[in-house]
Amino acid sequence: MSELVFYVNGKKIVEKNPSPTTLLADVLRYKLKLTGTKVSCGEGGCGSCTVMVSWFDRSTSKILHYSVNACIVPICLLHGLAVTTVEAVGSTKTRLHELQERLVSGHGIQCGFCTPGMVMSMYALLRSNPVPTELQIEHALKGNLCRCTGYRPILDAFRSFSKDSGCPMGDRCCRNKDKKNSSDVVENCNENKNESDMGKQELIFPSELQLSDVYDQQTLEFKSDEVTWLRPVCLKDLLLLKKQHPEALLAAGGTNVAFYLRNASREKPLVIIATTHITELRSFEENEDGFLVGAMTSMTLLENKLMSLIDKHSETKTRLYHSLLDALCLFGSPQIRNRATIGGSLATASRLADVNVLLLAAGSHVKIASTDGEREVKIHDFFTGKSTTCLKPNEVITDVLLPFSTQDEYCGFYKQSPRKDLTLADVNAGLLMEFEAKNSSTVKNAFFAFGGLSSMLAVAKKSSSFVIGRKLDGSLLNELMLSLANELDQFVSGDDAKSFKVAVAQGFMFKFFLKISHQRFPKLEFLRLFKEEERYLLSSQADLQQKHSGVQVYDIITNQSETDSVGQPVPHRYAKQCATGEAVFIDDILPSQGELYLTLVTSTKASAKILKIDPSKALAMKGVVGFLDHTSIISSNKTGLYLDEEIFATEKVDFVGQTIGAVVAESHEIARKAARAVVIEYEELQPITTIEDAISHNSFHSWPGDMGAINYGNVSKAFGSCDHVIEGELKVGSQEHFYMETNSVRVVPKGEDGEMDVYCGTQYGAGLQNLVASTLNVPCNKIYVHTKRMGGSFGGKEFRSYLITLPSALAAHKFNRPVRCALERRQDMQITGYRRAYLAKFKVGFNNNGKVMALDLDMYSNDGFHPEYSAGFMGQSLFYSDNCYAIPNIYVRGHLCKTNLPPTAAMRGAGVPQGLVICEYWMTRVAEFLKRPQHKIREVNMYRGGDVTFISVPIEDSLRRCFEEVLKQSDYEHALVNIENFNRQSTFLKKGISVIPIKFSPGLPPSWYKAGAVVNVYLDGSVLLYHGGVESGQGLHTKMIQIASRVLGVSIDKIHISETCTGIIPNSATTGGSSGADLNGAAILDACNQLMARLKPIKDSNPDGKWEDWIKTAIAQKINLSASGYYNRAISEDFDWKTGKGQPYGYYTYGSAVTQVEIDCLSGNYVILKVDIVMDVGKSLNPAIDVGQIEGAFVMGTGLYALEEHLFGANGHLETSGAGKYHIPTISSIPLEMNVSLLKDCGNPQAVYSSKGIGEPPLLLSNSVFFAIENAVIAARRQAGLSPDFAFNSPATTKQIQSACGLGPQHLLKSLVT
């Protein structure tokens, strides 16, 4: 067996016969203890695990640096390479790297779980290109997801490194100063940066790897029981090995290999042959036919080579290469492109591979070799079927010929996908057309290839042949559209998205025709096109890339004491630790000796009887310690909010993902593998999975007490006197939390008296403490729940953390050893809950002036099998069914559908986002019915300051102030006129604008309006705070430190928060409802005031003394410097559901947003052009944190209303599971321009220092994106002569947008010049 040698952060690592199944992330985290590299999705789809890999390219004598996803890189691929992790970039113990400093000071960090990956993507770019452009920076970050920030502050921080950005100091740049002060140079001025400055802190590439090629020349062999890994170093040896192992997989870039390595269902050992060091496969050769590319060429290197060829040759000769750059621009992510190879792409024969479909159309050739010899195959003959090629078992791809284009040849690549980046295509196309001779319009040859239409790449042979011999004109386009529709219809038979896919393919052909006519006959007016849409339709993908920008406006208090930080934009208290990877999350805690790992065994059926549970195969595996199921229960097997769930299923399962058992083993990998080996036998029953199913089967959860309906005024009478009555319905889709850190727990038995430490990312430690104690049959005072931080939560870790905590606690009790469980992303998404899907049916009565007089509304929510918080959140939906509008008569009812889906969970907004978008939907219908401007109808109905809502909550002037201010700041009236003018002229691009006001009350159920805090002051004057809230990225700890700094009069540097612990702060409320600062801040205020009262005599006697002096005196006088604060927020009157009286909320946070969008009617793609937001946050405790919450919430809401499809199949399985199938917003999804202003001169007497809760309210503003899109669609339908009545549900996905626009061939052809 061989030795594996590579470097990590400058340290040489030697592994003797490593397991081929081991991935780089596992080695970094579990062996080298470098936990800065995070694992979030496990499939290379989120960027959290990004590291930099460096190698010495002997062909160019250059050191190359590139970013990769450590979670999918097999360790055996790294022989002779150097890996750099975030720990080597900078450290709080030594010095932060400049990019880390800028990220911290730019407020680009919230929960911090994604931050090390962001840092490493940017770091790898800077090592390769010290002064990149702004677009290059954005491009480098497209493989990194963030659920918290909304990306803007990250981009702002990093774009300061760009050569086309100004100095981050703005007008205060030293270059703008008087020459007399020219020596006063600002340290981080871009003008004073150069490559050598940036390199002072960089890790030096290992000299051994640069001076010697010994590792490049070594053949390798590594073996485990299941996998053999071989690495030859020449083509001859590769062909011999392929002959010996014809079934072997080839690992080039290795982007797919990890999925094979982790597949436990293989029937025989797997053989993998790595081709990374075969120089013959890395060759490049330019000849008269084109460019011959070695199969091992990465997509990134191919991109660079193509750009060089484009610079070298004429446009006519490199048309294919331009189209290839379009394809590569949309291919995967930078991390994937850095490793994925052109040979690997062809070998997979994927029907969705962007490069494959274009090479098929272009008529590329593939060179193939084996021990029998070499052969060259036309790519038309290379692909033979579904994921199959003509490759024989003993053959490998050696080269791919990318042909030069002829002067009369044109090609194009087109792609439609649910999201711009990190997403496989719904449909893609490679289109080619060649003409007879120069200036001829007669088609000589054509080839039209499509991906995504069927199980394999589809070639439209009939349509390709149809155009040959025809002249390029409107008549040909007309007939081709019909031909294409008929031919493609056969490929997509049985596909639910059939009409969408065919229409998109037709749109591709339309754009291609336009491109050809423009390039070949620029003076020929072929189509009537508006100049802006012509530019869009003709632009390459690179040309369509646009920079993002934004302005944040807020007041900063001046003349404030240095020891008072309240109101100041202080960076997140633990941002530096997050930027360096030092911040410790649950699975980062180093394991103790003997620590065990637990993996849940869950149901694969939505409704079934359990016939048999057989863990014997799992228990026989080496490293498996035990198996738990319902027979392992110590006390009661009942758990959940209403004790209606089972810890382990006994006789029946009611949803996919329900816990049946748990495997306990000596490693994560063993436990996960063993869990898949547990055999469960079922007798299946018929499941109910949709709202419609539940309604037809009368399957509903019951409401507690009198909840469920609000009847205000007299709806029946009001309908009789209204001028108009309309009815309709709206569906609102569900949403996954997709926090970057999956649910994780570590349970440590303390060895005596039944005590246990529970380290868990939970929002509700007290609730979890009670459940663990009950499960173990011990009192709560022996269970201590610790939460230092969470990598995001958004409600998803409020209660259902018990799913992994209770089995882990049982295992820790049984084996008396520490036990941890960290869910894999797909399992986390399947079992831990999500935002509820809704169906609304409404009836609205209104008068000619637009005033709404009556609302009758039924809302149905899909709550899964157990009603966790269902009543409370539907209650929220009912409370906000008016949004910001005074409706004199309301009758609203909620229905809680019981289905065989996993129980839903709390999620940011808690029922309000659904209720609000439903309200705005019918309000839009009123405006459209009356043909009045939507913003005018909203204004007519809007509450005024001093009004009281139908649930008795008073309205402040801030509601209308926000609305009026955002109209002014966005120049709404002018923008509306411009958009209307644009839409009259443009056929295929349409713009939309919408303004939406919101109100939201931060808060929790009345019984939870309480908080505790402890403040300790030590001999040296340092202060330690404890409070009951948890930090999940919302900046709660930072704000608490700021509050304490003001009261105590000490610098924030002296104040520390270590963790949240039930052993110190008992019986805390959950951290949620945007109430964390209100409740815990008041408790800290109380504790600090107590301390200051005790110190007052000492301060009075020594008024000129320092804090440290007073503390020493206090200790000498035996004064207690530990104070326990408490807050019990009084609600004047809770809401009485029976009478409809009472006030459920104390105050509202207000805001308004104007959103402008542009949609492509042919594909359904859209761009959010501009967003203006004005928000009332009272007097902000920290305006930078509040702005960050506004931007992050808005982008998350954009996902809810316009992107994220969370779909369950009829069998109860989550179909959109994992980062590859579930699409949260990326950098490319955010508004091109996003301006946020905090409303001035606001206050709030009900919260600490007149602040307001802010975490959830801004999410509601993003439904303005939905309505702006809908307005653009309405404009498209109006021009197409289609009915204004059409179904348009949330989310407004590209598929729905394209379908709703209804632009079929007949509408496309209206643009033809006859």
Side-chain angles (χ1 to χ4, degrees):
M1 297 298 105
S2 308
E3 281 187 343
L4 177 70
V5 180
F6 62 103
Y7 281 77
V8 175
N9 298 340
K11 179 182 178 182
K12 188 174 183 178
I13 307 296
V14 180
E15 290 277 331
K16 294 187 177 180
N17 193 32
S19 170
T21 62
T22 304
L23 302 176
L24 174 56
D26 297 333
V27 172
L28 295 176
R29 292 181 56 79
Y30 304 131
K31 182 170 184 177
L32 301 180
K33 313 303 181 188
L34 297 172
T35 56
T37 301
K38 310 302 180 190
V39 174
S40 178
C41 72
E43 56 186 78
C46 73
S48 294
C49 63
T50 302
V51 298
M52 185 178 79
V53 172
S54 306
W55 69 291
F56 186 68
D57 184 356
R58 303 193 187 282
S59 65
T60 61
S61 296
K62 290 183 179 180
I63 301 169
L64 303 181
H65 309 285
Y66 52 92
S67 58
V68 303
N69 297 118
C71 73
I72 58 171
V73 174
I75 195 71
C76 294
L77 278 176
L78 295 173
H79 190 68
L81 305 182
V83 176
T84 303
T85 72
V86 70
E87 286 88 350
V89 175
S91 168
T92 60
K93 298 174 184 176
T94 54
R95 174 187 168 194
L96 264 65
H97 190 282
E98 199 164 333
L99 72 88
Q100 294 167 320
E101 288 278 13
R102 294 191 192 182
L103 193 58
V104 170
S105 61
H107 307 284
I109 300 170
Q110 290 189 21
C111 85
F113 197 84
C114 73
T115 304
M118 292 283 184
V119 168
M120 293 311 300
S121 287
M122 185 64 189
Y123 182 73
L125 174 65
L126 292 178
R127 289 299 299 267
S128 300
N129 183 3
V131 191
T133 66
E134 290 188 36
L135 282 177
Q136 286 171 335
I137 290 171
E138 293 201 13
H139 197 61
L141 298 176
K142 287 183 177 179
N144 294 76
L145 299 181
C146 175
R147 195 56 152 165
C148 297
T149 65
Y151 300 103
R152 193 277 311 162
I154 299 173
L155 288 174
D156 277 2
F158 286 161
R159 72 161 50 97
S160 64
F161 290 97
S162 167
K163 62 184 177 186
D164 46 19
S165 75
C167 172
M169 300 305 293
D171 293 337
R172 293 182 291 128
C173 175
C174 58
R175 296 278 173 168
N176 297 329
K177 296 187 177 183
D178 190 278
K179 288 185 178 180
K180 294 180 181 179
N181 299 320
S182 60
S183 61
D184 184 14
V185 177
V186 179
E187 183 180 353
N188 63 346
C189 177
N190 277 3
E191 297 290 337
N192 299 298
K193 289 296 169 189
N194 56 49
E195 187 171 349
S196 60
D197 292 330
M198 291 298 296
K200 286 180 179 178
Q201 196 179 338
E202 315 305 358
L203 199 67
I204 297 173
F205 185 75
S207 58
E208 179 189 17
L209 302 183
Q210 186 169 351
L211 297 175
S212 171
D213 66 351
V214 61
Y215 299 124
D216 299 343
Q217 301 303 318
Q218 290 177 338
T219 58
L220 303 175
E221 181 179 355
F222 305 116
K223 278 190 175 183
S224 68
D225 293 339
E226 296 181 329
V227 180
T228 297
W229 184 285
L230 305 169
R231 192 192 81 170
V233 292
C234 67
L235 182 58
K236 179 181 177 181
D237 289 347
L238 169 62
L239 299 180
L240 286 172
L241 287 173
K242 199 69 172 80
K243 182 178 181 179
Q244 296 170 19
H245 306 282
E247 77 290 350
L249 293 175
L250 298 187
T255 53
N256 283 326
V257 171
F259 303 101
Y260 290 101
L261 294 177
R262 290 293 169 91
N263 181 8
S265 62
R266 66 180 79 93
E267 298 177 357
K268 58 182 179 179
L270 180 65
V271 177
I272 296 176
I273 304 174
T275 61
T276 51
H277 284 64
I278 299 173
T279 55
E280 295 98 321
L281 300 184
R282 292 180 175 276
S283 61
F284 302 99
E285 179 186 332
E286 184 181 334
N287 57 39
E288 60 181 12
D289 296 322
F291 189 51
L292 198 61
V293 179
M296 261 298 299
T297 302
S298 72
M299 298 301 183
T300 297
L301 183 56
L302 177 60
E303 198 171 12
N304 295 333
K305 292 288 184 182
L306 292 174
M307 287 190 284
S308 297
L309 288 167
I310 288 170
D311 290 338
K312 178 180 177 182
H313 296 286
S314 67
E315 181 274 335
T316 57
K317 198 171 185 178
T318 58
R319 285 176 183 149
L320 170 62
Y321 303 163
H322 281 280
S323 295
L324 273 169
L325 288 179
D326 274 354
L328 292 172
C329 182
L330 300 174
F331 184 98
S333 67
Q335 294 93 322
I336 297 297
R337 287 193 295 274
N338 288 337
R339 295 202 62 84
T341 64
I342 188 168
S345 178
L346 291 174
T348 60
S350 169
R351 68 189 182 96
L352 298 174
D354 298 332
V355 172
N356 293 4
V357 72
L358 182 57
L359 294 184
L360 181 60
S364 300
H365 287 216
V366 182
K367 287 193 172 185
I368 298 169
S370 71
T371 52
D372 299 327
E374 299 180 354
R375 63 187 179 116
E376 187 171 321
V377 178
K378 292 181 179 180
I379 199 165
H380 305 156
D381 301 319
F382 180 78
F383 298 118
T384 57
K386 180 180 178 182
S387 300
T388 60
T389 69
C390 70
L391 284 173
K392 298 174 183 176
N394 66 330
E395 289 183 322
V396 300
I397 302 171
T398 58
D399 302 277
V400 182
L401 176 66
L402 308 179
F404 287 129
S405 301
T406 67
Q407 185 175 356
D408 302 303
E409 192 174 55
Y410 300 84
C411 60
F413 170 78
Y414 303 92
K415 179 178 180 177
Q416 169 57 35
S417 57
R419 182 177 65 186
K420 293 178 184 177
D421 305 312
L422 281 171
T423 314
L424 293 173
D426 283 329
V427 188
N428 57 18
L431 306 177
L432 179 136
M433 200 176 290
E434 185 181 8
F435 292 86
E436 289 286 356
K438 187 176 181 180
N439 298 326
S440 171
S441 63
T442 303
V443 181
K444 177 182 178 182
N445 183 39
F447 199 96
F448 307 144
F450 297 90
L453 300 181
S454 64
S455 60
M456 57 184 289
L457 291 173
V459 177
K461 295 180 181 179
K462 292 181 180 178
S463 298
S464 300
S465 300
F466 174 78
V467 301
I468 296 174
R470 298 288 300 275
K471 288 189 175 183
L472 184 76
D473 56 21
S475 175
L476 175 60
L477 178 58
N478 187 6
E479 294 176 47
L480 177 58
M481 285 296 182
L482 298 175
S483 171
L484 202 61
N486 291 331
E487 185 170 8
L488 297 185
D489 191 67
Q490 301 171 21
F491 287 111
V492 290
S493 58
D495 192 327
D496 291 339
K498 177 178 179 177
S499 60
F500 160 73
K501 290 186 175 184
V502 171
V504 167
Q506 289 178 307
F508 290 162
M509 186 61 70
F510 180 81
K511 292 178 181 179
F512 185 51
F513 251 72
L514 176 62
K515 175 181 177 180
I516 296 173
S517 65
H518 179 81
Q519 290 181 340
R520 190 167 181 83
F521 309 110
K523 294 183 180 180
L524 176 65
E525 189 180 3
F526 179 53
L527 296 165
R528 296 187 188 93
L529 291 173
F530 183 42
K531 184 175 293 185
E532 192 166 333
E533 67 179 334
E534 181 175 284
R535 178 190 56 78
Y536 168 82
L537 293 171
L538 292 173
S539 294
S540 68
Q541 287 298 327
D543 292 336
L544 289 174
Q545 305 301 309
Q546 299 181 65
K547 295 183 290 187
H548 296 81
S549 64
V551 175
Q552 305 80 47
V553 180
Y554 50 81
D555 287 333
I556 297 179
I557 304 172
T558 57
N559 302 318
Q560 191 165 316
S561 166
E562 292 183 2
T563 59
D564 179 6
S565 63
V566 170
Q568 299 299 323
V570 177
H572 193 292
R573 174 64 180 82
Y574 303 102
K576 291 183 178 180
Q577 289 86 339
C578 293
T580 58
E582 296 166 26
V584 177
F585 295 86
I586 298 300
D587 203 33
D588 297 338
I589 301 173
L590 296 181
S592 304
Q593 186 174 0
E595 188 153 332
L596 300 174
Y597 300 81
L598 181 141
T599 296
L600 299 179
V601 177
T602 59
S603 169
T604 59
K605 306 299 179 184
S607 181
K609 295 178 181 178
I610 299 174
L611 302 179
K612 182 181 179 181
I613 303 173
D614 182 6
S616 58
K617 289 183 179 179
L619 291 171
M621 292 181 177
K622 183 179 179 181
V624 173
V625 175
F627 176 77
L628 306 178
D629 62 9
H630 65 91
T631 62
S632 309
I633 294 297
I634 297 172
S635 179
S636 171
N637 195 30
K638 291 293 185 181
T639 190
L641 188 63
Y642 303 111
L643 297 180
D644 61 341
E645 298 186 55
E646 293 182 315
I647 300 173
F648 296 114
T650 52
E651 299 177 349
K652 187 176 178 291
V653 290
D654 299 300
F655 53 90
V656 176
Q658 184 172 350
T659 304
I660 296 174
V663 171
V664 184
E666 294 175 351
S667 75
H668 274 311
E669 186 176 356
I670 294 172
R672 289 165 179 167
K673 180 180 177 182
R676 292 192 289 265
V678 176
V679 176
I680 313 291
E681 294 182 5
Y682 305 92
E683 179 186 326
E684 287 195 67
L685 306 173
Q686 184 63 40
I688 295 171
T689 58
T690 67
I691 291 175
E692 291 78 6
D693 286 345
I695 294 172
S696 65
H697 287 84
N698 195 32
S699 179
F700 297 100
H701 296 294
S702 59
W703 282 89
D706 297 306
M707 292 181 69
I710 303 174
N711 197 343
Y712 177 81
N714 190 326
V715 171
S716 299
K717 183 178 179 181
F719 277 128
S721 61
C722 290
D723 295 332
H724 308 285
V725 176
I726 59 173
E727 297 185 45
E729 67 176 49
L730 175 70
K731 294 179 180 179
V732 184
S734 51
Q735 185 182 30
E736 162 64 25
H737 303 86
F738 211 95
Y739 29 69
M740 299 310 294
E741 178 196 26
T742 61
N743 271 279
S744 307
V745 68
R746 180 173 183 260
V747 182
V748 183
K750 301 192 75 169
E752 63 175 289
D753 222 11
E755 290 183 308
M756 276 193 183
D757 283 316
V758 178
Y759 300 89
C760 183
T762 179
Q763 297 170 244
Y764 188 23
L768 190 63
Q769 174 192 36
N770 184 60
L771 286 177
V772 173
S774 175
T775 299
L776 297 180
N777 200 24
V778 299
C780 284
N781 63 3
K782 295 183 180 180
I783 305 298
Y784 320 110
V785 178
H786 307 260
T787 304
K788 191 171 186 69
R789 60 173 58 84
M790 293 184 291
S793 54
F794 315 113
K797 298 174 182 175
E798 184 166 0
F799 199 74
R800 300 200 68 76
S801 302
Y802 77 82
L803 288 171
I804 58 173
T805 305
L806 300 186
S808 298
L810 286 165
H813 173 84
K814 179 175 181 177
F815 300 109
N816 198 30
R817 292 162 68 178
V819 174
R820 78 170 66 200
C821 176
L823 290 179
E824 292 183 293
R825 173 64 60 183
R826 290 174 183 266
Q827 188 173 43
D828 188 288
M829 292 180 70
Q830 178 70 53
I831 73 175
T832 59
Y834 45 91
R835 192 190 299 279
R836 296 153 174 78
Y838 271 47
L839 168 64
K841 298 182 178 182
F842 60 83
K843 180 179 178 182
V844 182
F846 52 96
N847 292 331
N848 289 324
N849 63 358
K851 177 61 180 173
V852 175
M853 303 305 298
L855 169 66
D856 185 89
L857 174 66
D858 281 290
M859 289 187 279
Y860 299 83
S861 59
N862 191 332
D863 287 282
F865 196 78
H866 296 286
E868 183 177 299
Y869 293 131
S870 298
F873 294 154
M874 177 57 84
Q876 289 277 86
S877 299
L878 299 178
F879 286 159
Y880 285 88
S881 56
D882 64 336
N883 189 19
C884 297
Y885 309 114
I887 307 168
N889 305 282
I890 299 178
Y891 185 28
V892 289
R893 301 164 297 281
H895 310 272
L896 314 176
C897 297
K898 182 177 182 179
T899 62
N900 292 108
L901 296 183
T904 53
M907 190 169 180
R908 201 174 198 169
V912 181
Q914 298 96 319
L916 189 141
V917 74
I918 290 165
C919 172
E920 293 297 342
Y921 186 81
W922 59 252
M923 185 65 74
T924 302
R925 303 284 74 74
V926 170
E928 287 300 302
F929 181 91
L930 294 172
K931 295 181 171 55
R932 295 271 305 279
Q934 294 175 13
H935 69 290
K936 294 295 186 183
I937 297 300
R938 289 185 166 92
E939 200 167 18
V940 164
N941 287 284
M942 194 179 299
Y943 286 117
R944 296 185 178 275
D947 286 349
V948 177
T949 69
F950 79 113
I951 53 171
S952 306
V953 182
I955 296 293
E956 302 168 56
D957 292 335
S958 295
L959 171 60
R960 281 188 172 258
R961 284 185 61 205
C962 286
F963 191 77
E964 292 163 1
E965 187 68 23
V966 83
L967 290 176
K968 179 181 176 182
Q969 289 188 15
S970 64
D971 196 7
Y972 183 90
E973 296 282 1
H974 187 243
L976 180 60
V977 170
N978 287 342
I979 286 173
E980 289 172 346
N981 289 336
F982 177 92
N983 288 340
R984 275 192 290 270
Q985 299 177 76
S986 176
T987 302
F988 308 110
L989 294 182
K990 296 294 181 184
K991 292 184 179 181
I993 188 170
S994 177
V995 57
I996 298 292
I998 64 100
K999 66 179 185 343
F1000 183 94
S1001 178
L1004 297 167
S1007 61
W1008 281 357
Y1009 277 114
K1010 59 183 180 179
V1014 171
V1015 180
N1016 297 329
V1017 184
Y1018 295 91
L1019 181 61
D1020 61 354
S1022 62
V1023 181
L1024 179 63
L1025 302 185
Y1026 286 99
H1027 62 91
V1030 296
E1031 178 61 57
S1032 62
Q1034 80 280 45
L1036 179 60
H1037 283 352
T1038 307
K1039 288 184 175 181
M1040 298 304 98
I1041 288 172
Q1042 289 178 273
I1043 291 170
S1045 81
R1046 167 174 282 188
V1047 183
L1048 299 178
V1050 300
S1051 166
I1052 59 174
D1053 296 332
K1054 290 186 177 292
I1055 306 174
H1056 180 64
I1057 296 177
S1058 174
E1059 65 172 0
T1060 304
C1061 179
T1062 58
I1064 297 171
I1065 306 296
N1067 311 317
S1068 295
T1070 184
T1071 303
S1074 304
S1075 63
D1078 288 7
L1079 300 180
N1080 296 288
I1084 283 177
L1085 196 66
D1086 180 36
C1088 290
N1089 282 331
Q1090 293 177 42
L1091 286 172
M1092 295 309 291
R1094 297 172 197 170
L1095 290 172
K1096 187 176 185 303
I1098 296 174
K1099 291 180 66 178
D1100 290 345
S1101 64
N1102 182 16
D1104 297 326
K1106 296 181 179 180
W1107 169 259
E1108 290 81 2
D1109 300 329
W1110 299 331
I1111 295 305
K1112 289 178 181 177
T1113 302
I1115 291 174
Q1117 294 181 11
K1118 302 179 183 178
I1119 292 175
N1120 181 8
L1121 293 181
S1122 177
S1124 177
Y1126 191 73
Y1127 175 66
N1128 179 7
R1129 179 174 168 183
I1131 296 294
S1132 58
E1133 190 178 357
D1134 193 12
F1135 188 77
D1136 187 327
W1137 286 87
K1138 188 173 184 178
T1139 64
K1141 305 294 183 182
Q1143 179 183 333
Y1145 306 129
Y1147 71 87
Y1148 287 123
T1149 296
Y1150 303 96
S1152 286
V1154 171
T1155 295
Q1156 301 177 51
V1157 303
E1158 181 180 86
I1159 67 171
D1160 174 355
C1161 301
L1162 299 176
S1163 66
N1165 287 335
Y1166 64 88
V1167 176
I1168 305 174
L1169 300 171
K1170 185 184 179 190
V1171 172
D1172 290 278
I1173 294 172
V1174 176
M1175 204 85 200
D1176 164 27
V1177 300
K1179 293 183 178 178
S1180 175
L1181 296 172
N1182 186 318
I1185 285 178
D1186 287 349
V1187 167
Q1189 287 295 290
I1190 292 168
E1191 293 173 327
F1194 187 92
V1195 171
M1196 176 182 273
T1198 299
L1200 167 65
Y1201 294 123
L1203 179 60
E1204 299 172 32
E1205 285 192 289
H1206 187 253
L1207 305 174
F1208 286 94
N1211 59 2
H1213 284 265
L1214 182 61
E1215 295 182 341
T1216 50
S1217 180
K1221 292 184 178 180
Y1222 188 76
H1223 307 127
I1224 73 169
T1226 66
I1227 279 176
S1228 297
S1229 308
I1230 68 175
L1232 292 179
E1233 181 182 348
M1234 189 171 188
N1235 306 313
V1236 177
S1237 297
L1238 302 187
L1239 192 67
K1240 297 181 179 181
D1241 303 320
C1242 297
N1244 178 28
Q1246 299 189 48
V1248 179
Y1249 296 133
S1250 297
S1251 60
K1252 285 189 173 184
I1254 193 59
E1256 292 164 291
L1259 182 141
L1260 310 176
L1261 293 171
S1262 50
N1263 73 71
S1264 61
V1265 177
F1266 175 84
F1267 291 106
I1269 291 172
E1270 187 193 40
N1271 287 333
V1273 171
I1274 289 172
R1277 293 179 65 86
R1278 185 178 295 123
Q1279 181 166 304
L1282 300 175
S1283 168
D1285 296 324
F1286 63 103
F1288 199 72
N1289 296 308
S1290 175
T1293 61
T1294 56
K1295 188 181 301 182
Q1296 185 179 203
I1297 293 168
Q1298 193 282 331
S1299 300
C1301 285
L1303 290 190
Q1306 69 275 23
H1307 301 108
L1308 301 180
L1309 299 172
K1310 284 183 179 180
S1311 297
L1312 290 173
V1313 174
T1314 56

